[in-house]
Amino acid sequence: MDPFITLTGIAAPLDRSNVDTDAIIPKQFLRKIERAGFGKHLFHEWRYADYDGLKENPDFILNKEPYRKATILLARDNFGCGSSREHAPWALYDFGFRCIIAPSFADIFYNNCINNGILLVRLKADEVDELFAIAAFGASGRIAVDLEKQVVAAAGKKYSFSIDPFQKECLLKGLNQIGWTLQFGDNIEAFEKKLAVEKPWLA
Amino acid sequence: MAKTMYEKIWDAHLVHEDKETVSVIYVDRQLVHEVTSPQAFEGLRISGRKVRCPNKTFATMDHNVPTRSKDLALASETSRRQMEQLKKNCDEFGVRCFDFMDDDQGVVHIIGPEMGLTQPGMVIVCGDSHTATHGAFGALAFGIGTSEVEHVMVTQTLQQKRSPTMLISVDGELQPGVTSKDVILYIIGQIGTAGATGYVVEYAGSVIRDMSMEGRMTVCNMSIEAGARAGMVAPDDTTFTYLQGRDFAPKGDNWVKAVSYWKTLKSDPDAKFDKVIKINAGDIAPQVTWGTSPGQVTSVAGEVPSPDSFEDPVARKAAQGALNYMGLKSGVKITDIPIDVVFIGSCTNGRIEDLRAAAMVIKGKKVAPSVQALVVPGSNRVKRQAEKEGLDKIFVAAGCEWRHAGCSMCLAMNDDQLKPGQRCAATSNRNFEGRQGPGGRTHLVSPETAAASSVTGRLTDIRIFLANNK
């Protein structure tokens, strides 16, 4: 996993609440058995005018300049709700997004993003409103994110955000979570031995 | 100190505890399906790791399977490849797979409980957001992503932070025609689709107590639609009676030991929840969603709301967008909305009790000529049981299509899909844009409401339907 330290980039404003993972990556693209190549199907039904994805919908934000090159996504409440499909963060990452800013995120989606090196920033709804206004300026409305300092900066203003310290460390170091857990290998073995004695039906 | 059921199960599964950052909890059961596992197995292959506990890991095929007939040739090439890959992966890593041709194949959240793989006090995970279904047994069950699936395969644990707790108590008497599906849709309508985000919800109260295991599963199943991490119900005699004798349930001495442990799991009377919500059962009418989010729901006796009735500008905009997508005008009576398709099935309402309820409503009647009605059992076992009871004959005589087990039109990954603009009364769990097929329009309802609507050809108040068809 690539570390996330700082990022300055174009932010694409996606002005909808309750954006679900079916919308982020529709089911017909979940049949792949690889992790790569989901970016071109991101937001498929909104992004393309036809089922096969050959014709772009010119009104969709990611089909407008300069947002095709956006690395930050601005969103509304409850972003990423619904299905647990990790294909959603894979598609966002593959498109180029490294950070999503919204007032709130769905729970499973949040963890899936952290596990893929995407920083999710929760800000107050009125702060997100301000960023939407700034992002409307496109390339001149770039947003800077500093994870170490936990600050988003745009148009001369700073917005601080909170994040779980462990998840922060995982992102800053690009930590492999399985490797981290395996340091507790002895605890796991001890737990299983105890289980066999106390709850043999679970052993 | 008094503890909630969640806290008891949490404490019993701690492998490593760090209250400040993250803890590591043990996983008793991992359920696997073909869509969210291939990249996890591939991760094992790349890192040269094994599945730590193959005996605690069970797989099935459900999302992609064709339901018209037991013929893999009906699946698209990519679907078939994904299913074949699951079989290959399970063989390679020693995981039991209830594959497409297995007698016990079915929707992962249906077969876990029916085979007794789901038990009280367990931590159960699956790469699927409807894993909360298993919480109906007093298990801590939740959906995870594919990276976490791999993490559990390797370590049999998960990194977790302790969640805040919410008690949702439903008391009083349900009106006739009001089902467990209506209860959970009503709850989501009350608290919102993000109303329980991050919480572990315990459902309690006389209404939940009186529900069958099937009803409790329907309620817990849709916890995620309120944003909850998990939903659970305290195990009781209903739970134990359901479990006893099932394939993987404890036997003999172990059964006795297990039951006495399970009886200790219920929340202590003075346990503190971070949030408490009380619902009066008498307030709940049969529910129908009108929008593209499960929280956009109303009474079947109601009307399509006006976006202007929402104070919050974001909700107003969402309602306007939903009405545009759904092709609905505000003020239209719900029961005046015609439908094209009825889907009865899914991990929410694909169990035997759901099929019995739908069959009872439709028995001796005919599906409206303009309606296509699909009945898709949640598992092969449900299908066999239904056929033993003659339910299939009732459905077929009424003009329904009697299908094979699978997720089918709940998420439309196979060829069971709505065409653009088609409107469906569905017993599934999500009315998202395009969920049942690009451009398809979904109204979430109970099996009874779905069955009645298939006969009248429009969304129907089951209470009036039953009164008119005595």
Side-chain angles (χ1 to χ4, degrees):
Chain A
M1 188 171 102
D2 296 331
F4 184 108
I5 300 162
T6 58
L7 171 71
T8 301
I10 294 164
L14 183 66
D15 194 8
R16 297 176 70 122
S17 58
N18 291 314
V19 170
D20 57 75
T21 52
D22 275 78
I24 297 173
I25 182 89
K27 82 280 267 150
Q28 63 267 35
F29 306 111
L30 305 188
R31 299 191 193 110
K32 283 161 90 85
I33 55 177
E34 303 84 18
R35 268 177 195 254
F38 290 99
K40 60 178 177 289
H41 309 303
L42 179 70
F43 297 120
H44 181 91
E45 288 188 27
W46 297 337
R47 195 162 144 208
Y48 300 103
D50 61 327
Y51 183 78
D52 294 324
L54 301 172
K55 210 177 143 241
E56 285 186 352
N57 167 12
D59 296 332
F60 187 62
I61 188 75
L62 297 185
N63 292 330
K64 295 178 185 175
E65 296 298 348
Y67 302 110
R68 288 176 191 277
K69 294 184 212 67
T71 52
I72 298 169
L73 184 66
L74 287 179
R76 297 295 188 187
D77 261 319
N78 203 25
F79 187 82
C81 61
S83 158
S84 62
R85 59 188 69 165
E86 198 165 312
H87 311 69
W90 294 339
L92 288 159
Y93 194 95
D94 194 38
F95 180 90
F97 288 115
R98 295 292 178 271
C99 174
I100 310 173
I101 302 173
S104 63
F105 297 95
D107 193 33
I108 304 175
F109 177 77
Y110 190 94
N111 285 345
N112 285 345
C113 282
I114 301 286
N115 288 341
N116 284 279
I118 301 174
L119 170 65
L120 300 190
V121 174
R122 293 189 194 96
L123 292 177
K124 294 191 197 83
D126 58 337
E127 295 174 329
V128 173
D129 281 343
E130 290 179 18
L131 292 177
F132 264 82
I134 294 165
F137 289 99
S140 59
R142 281 170 196 268
I143 291 176
V145 183
D146 185 328
L147 176 57
E148 183 63 59
K149 295 199 178 96
Q150 297 181 213
V151 168
V152 172
K157 216 175 150 181
K158 287 188 171 169
Y159 308 84
S160 60
F161 63 91
S162 60
I163 182 169
D164 175 86
F166 179 72
Q167 292 180 322
K168 179 178 175 177
E169 191 188 320
C170 288
L171 284 167
L172 284 172
K173 294 185 180 158
L175 202 66
N176 178 309
Q177 309 221 326
I178 294 178
W180 185 86
T181 298
L182 284 175
Q183 68 177 307
F184 301 107
D186 291 346
N187 300 37
I188 299 171
E189 269 182 38
F191 184 95
E192 287 174 338
K193 283 200 178 116
K194 208 169 131 220
L195 197 64
V197 176
E198 293 177 0
K199 296 176 192 129
W201 68 92
L202 289 177
Chain B
M1 207 188 83
K3 287 184 188 176
T4 63
M5 172 167 52
Y6 166 67
E7 287 158 352
K8 290 181 190 183
I9 296 174
W10 172 270
D11 287 348
H13 286 82
L14 280 170
V15 164
H16 162 76
E17 185 177 28
D18 186 334
K19 285 183 176 144
E20 297 305 308
T21 61
V22 72
S23 297
V24 177
I25 62 166
Y26 197 77
V27 173
D28 299 300
R29 197 72 87 208
Q30 169 149 248
L31 303 172
V32 173
H33 66 76
E34 77 274 22
V35 179
T36 56
S37 66
Q39 295 86 355
F41 281 114
E42 186 58 19
L44 298 187
R45 230 172 260 124
I46 290 166
S47 59
R49 289 170 172 146
K50 292 187 171 65
V51 174
R52 181 182 176 91
C53 300
N55 64 327
K56 298 179 182 183
T57 313
F58 293 85
T60 192
M61 300 170 184
D62 53 6
H63 283 60
N64 271 294
V65 299
T67 63
R68 286 172 200 280
S69 107
K70 275 282 174 197
D71 182 1
L72 265 194
L74 292 174
S76 72
E77 197 192 322
T78 47
S79 289
R80 201 163 53 239
R81 196 164 65 107
Q82 200 169 50
M83 290 187 269
E84 285 164 359
Q85 188 65 43
L86 178 65
K87 184 77 179 102
K88 235 162 68 185
N89 288 337
C90 288
D91 287 347
E92 182 179 338
F93 289 95
V95 170
R96 175 93 181 258
C97 179
F98 301 99
D99 70 17
F100 183 57
M101 295 311 287
D102 195 292
D103 278 350
D104 294 324
Q105 174 265 344
V107 178
V108 65
H109 307 309
I110 306 266
I111 70 168
E114 75 184 2
M115 291 200 282
L117 288 166
T118 304
Q119 296 166 21
M122 280 182 162
V123 170
I124 301 174
V125 298
C126 175
D128 193 285
S129 60
H130 292 110
T131 307
T133 311
H134 308 266
F137 290 78
L140 173 59
F142 50 90
I144 56 177
T146 300
S147 296
E148 291 172 308
V149 169
E150 183 182 343
H151 188 283
V152 177
M153 284 175 172
V154 175
T155 67
Q156 203 58 32
T157 67
L158 259 185
Q159 298 172 8
Q160 288 282 296
K161 274 194 88 141
R162 196 159 162 150
S163 303
T165 54
M166 181 185 291
L167 179 73
I168 299 181
S169 184
V170 189
D171 288 283
E173 291 283 325
L174 288 179
Q175 301 171 39
V178 176
T179 70
S180 54
K181 179 65 164 287
D182 302 304
V183 171
I184 187 62
L185 283 172
Y186 181 83
I187 290 171
I188 296 164
Q190 291 294 302
I191 70 174
T193 44
T197 297
Y199 285 90
V200 169
V201 174
E202 180 174 339
Y203 300 97
S206 60
V207 169
I208 306 290
R209 273 298 102 235
D210 290 345
M211 277 182 192
S212 64
M213 287 315 297
E214 284 85 351
R216 294 177 190 181
M217 283 190 255
T218 300
V219 170
C220 288
N221 172 274
M222 289 189 74
S223 301
I224 183 74
E225 264 59 67
R229 171 129 278 254
M232 49 206 319
V233 174
D236 58 10
D237 286 339
T238 305
T239 321
F240 310 145
T241 306
Y242 177 97
L243 264 176
Q244 191 162 24
R246 295 202 181 247
D247 313 55
F248 291 90
K251 305 270 166 9
D253 266 3
N254 274 342
W255 172 259
V256 178
K257 274 188 208 157
V259 171
S260 76
Y261 171 63
W262 295 343
K263 284 181 175 169
T264 68
L265 290 171
K266 62 174 180 279
S267 293
D268 297 328
D270 45 350
K272 289 258 182 306
F273 289 84
D274 296 294
K275 201 166 178 183
V276 176
I277 288 170
K278 292 198 180 294
I279 303 278
N280 176 13
D283 295 344
I284 308 174
Q287 302 285 300
V288 180
T289 62
W290 51 266
T292 53
S293 170
Q296 292 173 324
V297 66
T298 189
S299 156
V300 69
E303 295 171 354
V304 176
S306 159
D308 295 335
S309 66
F310 296 90
E311 269 176 40
D312 171 33
V314 174
R316 195 180 312 139
K317 188 161 184 267
Q320 188 56 60
L323 293 189
N324 290 344
Y325 181 84
M326 294 295 288
L328 292 173
K329 287 201 168 63
S330 5
V332 169
K333 282 175 69 179
I334 295 292
T335 49
D336 283 343
I337 300 172
I339 51 161
D340 308 299
V341 178
V342 164
F343 169 62
I344 297 174
S346 86
C347 60
T348 312
N349 281 129
R351 283 170 282 271
I352 187 66
E353 202 174 78
D354 302 311
L355 300 191
R356 283 180 192 139
M360 198 109 93
V361 171
I362 212 170
K363 189 174 185 177
K365 302 188 178 61
K366 289 280 177 205
V367 170
S370 57
V371 172
Q372 179 195 18
L374 267 69
V375 185
V376 187
S379 71
N380 285 342
R381 285 194 186 193
V382 169
K383 182 167 188 282
R384 286 196 297 274
Q385 179 64 30
E387 287 170 355
K388 207 169 120 191
E389 297 176 20
L391 305 183
D392 59 321
K393 293 199 178 63
I394 295 174
F395 287 121
V396 171
C400 301
E401 298 174 30
W402 178 245
R403 296 293 189 89
H404 290 272
C407 296
S408 180
M409 206 186 261
C410 172
L411 88 164
M413 252 189 103
N414 69 352
D415 57 338
D416 301 332
Q417 300 187 4
L418 295 181
K419 296 184 187 79
Q422 273 192 328
R423 190 181 297 286
C424 178
T427 66
S428 44
N429 41 56
R430 289 192 174 132
N431 51 347
F432 298 159
E433 283 187 18
R435 171 81 177 179
Q436 294 194 283
R441 294 159 170 169
T442 304
H443 297 274
L444 300 177
V445 294
S446 72
E448 287 87 332
T449 298
S453 303
S454 75
V455 173
T456 60
R458 53 192 168 75
L459 293 169
T460 295
D461 190 331
I462 182 69
R463 298 166 299 185
I464 296 171
F465 182 88
L466 290 178
N468 290 344
N469 289 279
K470 266 189 186 154

